[in-house]
Amino acid sequence: MTRVWKWNRPVTVREVLEDLQQERSIAYTTVMTVLDNLHQKGWVRREAEGRAYRYEAVSTRAAYAAALMNDAWSQSDNPAAALVAFFGMMSPSQREALSDAVRMVEGDTVRREDEADRKAEAAERGPGGGEGPENPGGPGPGPER
């Protein structure tokens, strides 16, 4: 998966093989088998191109790591204690990244709540926004052209 994520585009077995061979000797059939296994597990999708396939990651490396962390956390009999232990293992820069991520998620939640409020207000006003002849002072149909 590391090689597929590294390329960040659909890749062939040959491309992955040549990349790996810069570090060690490996057989074409080994790379082909691993990519086929990743496809069978649903981690990559593939599209035929001539007699070969191009393989592409189904999710990002970050999404994969998040899923692993979520899976490990959900298996804990005490999730709060598991989080405290996990945070205790983090470096200061990792804790800072965590704080940034929490702020981003909280900001996204606020934006979604604001959008939901605006939609609810628009629905209460009814079709056309409820502004016009029944609502003096509100914008009317606009200037004639």
Side-chain angles (χ1 to χ4, degrees), residues 48-72:
E49 184 176 280
R51 293 176 44 203
Y53 286 108
R54 283 206 171 267
Y55 294 86
E56 183 175 22
V58 170
S59 69
T60 65
R61 187 178 203 143
Y64 175 72
L68 287 176
M69 289 187 286
N70 187 57
D71 186 47

Side-chain angles (χ1 to χ4, degrees), residues 18 35 39-40 62 91 107-108 120 135:
E18 290 171 358
L35 285 169
H39 176 257
Q40 297 300 323
S91 70
D108 189 47
N135 188 3

Side-chain angles (χ1 to χ4, degrees), residues 117-140:
D117 289 344
R118 282 192 300 276
K119 287 180 180 178
E121 289 170 3
E124 287 175 8
R125 288 191 302 265
E131 297 171 344
E134 309 88 29
N135 188 3

Side-chain angles (χ1 to χ4, degrees), residues 33-96:
T33 299
V34 169
L35 285 169
D36 186 59
N37 288 341
L38 291 171
H39 176 257
Q40 297 300 323
K41 291 180 179 185
W43 293 4
V44 296
R45 62 180 147 258
R46 68 183 181 195
E47 189 172 317
E49 184 176 280
R51 293 176 44 203
Y53 286 108
R54 283 206 171 267
Y55 294 86
E56 183 175 22
V58 170
S59 69
T60 65
R61 187 178 203 143
Y64 175 72
L68 287 176
M69 289 187 286
N70 187 57
D71 186 47
W73 183 52
S74 67
Q75 292 180 29
S76 172
D77 60 348
N78 187 341
L83 281 175
V84 169
F86 179 63
F87 297 157
M89 290 186 256
M90 294 176 130
S91 70
S93 64
Q94 289 172 321
R95 284 193 294 275
E96 186 176 327

Side-chain angles (χ1 to χ4, degrees), residues 5 7 25 51 53 56 68 98 100 103 105 117 141:
W5 283 320
W7 285 73
S25 178
R51 293 176 44 203
Y53 286 108
E56 183 175 22
L68 287 176
L98 175 64
D100 292 344
R103 279 192 294 277
V105 169
D117 289 344

